[in-house]
Amino acid sequence: MPKLVDHESRRAELLAATWRVVRARGVEGTTTRAIADEAGCSLSVLAHFLGGKDDILVAAQTAVYSRIVGRAFGLGGDLFGLDALRVALDAVLPLDEERAADAHVNVAFAGAALSSPRLAAARRDSHREIRELLRVCMREARERGELRPGVEDDDVIDDFIILVEGSTLLSLVDGWAEEGRGERLPRLATAFVDQLRAPADPVPSRS
């Protein structure tokens, strides 16, 4: 009887192998042979599940971004508005080994997207996805009266993405983590969210 294969599980395993190769070799040094060897499969199996090299890279970029986004917006539980936004920031900043590994792959794909229209288009699609989720946080915050006057959703969403992408580059490429400056990232995240909050109502004085 032929062995049954869970298509989605096998595909996830192959994408994870692709991420490991990208981390080790960079996107330019990633080959289908290296991915197949890392995954312990043949080239024909790799092609069956993921297609050719360009297809594999686009799928891997999309999947790692979806993994990051899922962690960012799946950890909040019952949190809403600015509390959910703060948790999302913690989830995507490279503050531990798992988050740093995902960020490393994301940075590698960002660099490769400069010369790959398909990767660039995939990243734009991924950014549109996270923007919609951030827009939900902003709508909740506005409905809950959490935002100070004058806060514009698109400005906050732009700044969120800039903070994440910039902090990732500083940590992984410019050596913040090795220099012990990675501890600044949670403080930057807290300051980012706090500056959006409406001022607290003054406590009435006792006469």
Side-chain angles (χ1 to χ4, degrees), residues 88-133:
L89 264 175
D90 264 351
V92 297
L93 291 172
L95 299 174
D96 60 18
E97 185 175 345
E98 179 184 358
R99 286 173 283 183
D102 287 347
H104 187 149
V105 175
N106 187 39
V107 168
F109 280 122
L114 292 172
S115 57
S116 170
R118 283 192 68 189
L119 278 177
R123 284 184 61 81
R124 286 194 293 272
D125 288 342
S126 295
H127 277 144
R128 279 191 285 271
E129 177 186 0
I130 197 171
R131 291 184 74 89
E132 289 308 308
L133 292 168

Side-chain angles (χ1 to χ4, degrees), residues 142-153:
R142 200 171 299 283
E143 290 171 350
R144 293 158 65 91
E146 295 177 336
L147 298 177
R148 62 175 173 77
V151 169
E152 297 291 339
D153 292 4

Side-chain angles (χ1 to χ4, degrees), residues 10 13-14 17 20 33-43 45:
R10 188 57 172 144
E13 291 170 1
L14 295 173
R20 293 193 296 273
R33 168 55 65 190
I35 297 168
D37 289 346
E38 178 67 26
C41 71
S42 67
L43 287 171
V45 167

Side-chain angles (χ1 to χ4, degrees), residues 18 26-33 35 46-47 50-60 109 118-119:
T18 305
V27 174
E28 294 302 320
T30 295
T31 63
T32 53
R33 168 55 65 190
I35 297 168
L46 181 64
L50 294 178
K53 180 179 176 180
D54 286 349
D55 300 317
I56 294 169
L57 293 177
V58 169
F109 280 122
R118 283 192 68 189
L119 278 177

Side-chain angles (χ1 to χ4, degrees), residues 7 15 23 26 46 49 58 60 68 86 110 134 152 160 179:
H7 188 279
L15 289 171
R23 284 191 69 196
L46 181 64
F49 283 95
V58 169
I68 293 169
R86 179 65 182 81
L134 290 169
E152 297 291 339
F160 181 103
E179 295 169 6

